[in-house]
Amino acid sequence: MVQASQRDIRRASSFRAAYDAALGRWPGPVESVDLPTPYGVTRVNRCGPVGAPPLVLLPGGGATATVWGACVAAGAARAHRVHAVDLVGDPGLSVPAPDRAIRSVGDLVGWLDAVLDGLGPHGPVTLVGHSYGAWIAAHHAALRPDRLGRLVLLDPTQVFAGLRPAYVLRALPMLARPTPERIRSFLAWETRGAALDPAWLRLQEEGAGFPAVRPVTGPRPDLAGLAPASGGGPRVDVLFAGLARCHDSGRAARAAREVLPGAHVDVLPGVAHHALPLTAAEEIVRRLAR
């Protein structure tokens, strides 16, 4: 029992050191705050001019808020107040409430409502999500369109298309029993060997010892209310990764255009799904400036 406790402490210490190292690569001063919500304490890393238009960033599953460092380095915080969020229940520094777990889409939307309330944003929010974070962002936009000025979905999963069976099968061993080796191997396979930030990659490997929490899954968000004909809602941009293994990006893009005929939908060639926020940061920031 004592040995197990010491091992857990060492794992937590190692994860925190890797997290701090990845966050330390961000340019300029970064303020980290812990926001109370009904579902636990949420860690938010923020930078950029206070009072600038708010840019709220939701990472993919397990990626942590540190994945947005490349976008910050590319200039995301020049004209925005960046708020990069650790998802509650995921690897990161957010701490779930012991007596109130997030179990449904409604819980996720309520959690994000509380985060936005805690941020006290100045002006309309631009909400950006990648992968699973995009799924959360899309559900929030569908149910709370009045809270957002703009919605940006980066290679969203389970929003416009399902996951490829081959991707799920390849990910299963890592999900069932994560180890640093399995995480590294999966990311190398999915990104087709892309050069990833070594500090972020180390943090991913350290996440193998993070307590597992079953993520909320469910139906695709109903985005019909965001179409122009419905009379309002935020501007919507969708950017797919051309080399994504998780889904057919061309088919997903066509589905997105059908669901949201007024959205700006593109496929970015030469970029893989998990690498998108890291290796396509300049393109993401350029599109945010439009």
Side-chain angles (χ1 to χ4, degrees), residues 1-15 206 209-210:
M1 197 73 173
V2 173
Q3 290 179 346
S5 177
Q6 290 175 341
R7 186 168 57 249
D8 291 343
I9 290 171
R10 286 196 297 271
R11 284 177 176 172
S13 176
S14 182
F15 179 87
E206 290 293 342
F210 205 86

Side-chain angles (χ1 to χ4, degrees), residues 113-227:
D113 275 337
V115 170
L116 295 180
D117 290 343
L119 294 176
H122 300 275
V125 171
T126 295
L127 180 61
V128 180
H130 171 238
S131 189
Y132 180 61
W135 184 80
I136 296 171
H139 272 291
H140 187 273
L143 296 173
R144 304 284 194 271
D146 56 312
R147 297 211 64 168
L148 305 179
R150 186 176 180 184
L151 173 68
V152 180
L153 305 176
L154 302 177
D155 214 40
T157 48
Q158 304 284 61
V159 176
F160 303 105
L163 297 175
R164 281 173 165 159
Y167 174 86
V168 175
L169 287 173
R170 185 65 174 76
L172 275 177
M174 177 192 66
L175 297 174
R177 192 170 67 84
T179 66
E181 295 74 21
R182 288 181 174 183
I183 291 171
R184 190 184 313 116
S185 174
F186 175 78
L187 288 173
W189 169 78
E190 199 288 322
T191 64
R192 302 170 196 263
L196 304 177
D197 177 2
W200 179 82
L201 188 56
R202 178 195 163 204
L203 178 58
Q204 293 304 288
E205 295 171 2
E206 290 293 342
F210 205 86
V213 176
R214 184 181 179 88
V216 173
T217 57
R220 297 179 189 177
D222 182 2
L223 300 178
L226 302 183

